[in-house]
Amino acid sequence: MKTVFEALRESHEIQRDLAAKLLQTSGDSPERHELFQQLKNELFAHETAEDRYFYIPLMMTDSGLNITRHALAEHHEMDEMIEELSDMDFSNPGWIALAKKLSEKVHHHLKEEEHGFFQQAGKILGEEQKTALAVQYKNEYQRYKEMKKDMLVES
């Protein structure tokens, strides 16, 4: 049975791969649009499910509060970069510079989660909770992956 940490890591690998591929693209190309859309959808599905089935349960404990605040702030920063990239002309030289910043933020965030937050969370969450959250996270993640971010109404 998978734990929530293993489930989250699967999406982390996809994010790293897509971010790396995106930085190899140039100009207003179909490839850049496609990879950006994939990364955007991946980040959105992952973040939404992770917030709900990893960070919110942690937030209920005193020791989990700080890591949760920090992680949610970083999710927000990444969302803002995604919005900016979505609104920018894909052939603008500033686009790839911002995409590089986003990639760095994604890598930093994932490393911090995997090498810090997961260890702390491992002490907070019980064994049964770790597997139960994995199932809930996976279901939610799949649901959002199928929806695609642009189909969701911005609130």
Side-chain angles (χ1 to χ4, degrees):
M1 192 61 169
K2 253 186 207 144
T3 66
V4 69
F5 307 115
E6 292 160 311
L8 293 169
R9 269 197 191 97
E10 286 174 8
S11 173
H12 287 183
E13 288 311 312
I14 298 169
Q15 290 171 43
R16 287 184 175 109
D17 184 52
L18 289 172
K21 286 179 176 158
L22 182 64
L23 295 183
Q24 301 306 306
T25 63
S26 57
D28 194 354
S29 60
E31 189 192 14
R32 179 172 282 184
H33 280 272
E34 178 56 30
L35 284 165
F36 178 63
Q37 197 56 49
Q38 284 178 19
L39 180 62
K40 185 173 166 176
N41 290 338
E42 185 63 37
L43 286 171
F44 181 72
H46 173 74
E47 256 180 41
T48 306
E50 182 181 58
D51 288 355
R52 198 164 288 171
Y53 295 112
F54 183 63
Y55 285 116
I56 288 176
L58 286 177
M59 210 178 210
M60 300 305 162
T61 68
D62 290 339
S63 46
L65 198 57
N66 277 344
I67 59 174
T68 302
R69 279 201 188 119
H70 183 83
L72 298 184
E74 287 192 343
H75 283 178
H76 182 67
E77 285 171 40
M78 290 187 274
D79 291 345
E80 289 191 329
M81 285 186 213
I82 290 275
E83 289 305 312
E84 243 184 286
L85 285 165
S86 300
D87 296 340
M88 199 184 280
D89 187 331
F90 278 44
S91 59
N92 182 327
W95 196 92
I96 200 74
L98 184 57
K100 197 170 188 304
K101 264 179 70 175
L102 173 65
S103 175
E104 285 162 5
K105 174 58 83 180
V106 167
H107 278 84
H108 157 84
H109 179 69
L110 300 182
K111 192 174 159 186
E112 204 169 34
E113 282 186 343
E114 292 170 358
H115 300 286
F117 297 172
F118 285 6
Q119 284 75 0
Q120 289 169 271
K123 296 180 188 127
I124 298 167
L125 304 169
E127 291 313 307
E128 281 177 22
Q129 204 178 4
K130 288 173 192 172
T131 51
L133 289 172
V135 174
Q136 292 173 302
Y137 162 80
K138 284 299 269 188
N139 291 339
E140 186 87 341
Y141 167 78
Q142 279 311 127
R143 207 165 67 83
Y144 280 103
K145 279 286 280 191
E146 284 151 24
M147 282 167 86
K148 301 264 184 274
K149 183 170 198 280
D150 291 338
M151 288 164 58
L152 299 169
V153 180
E154 294 292 312
S155 54

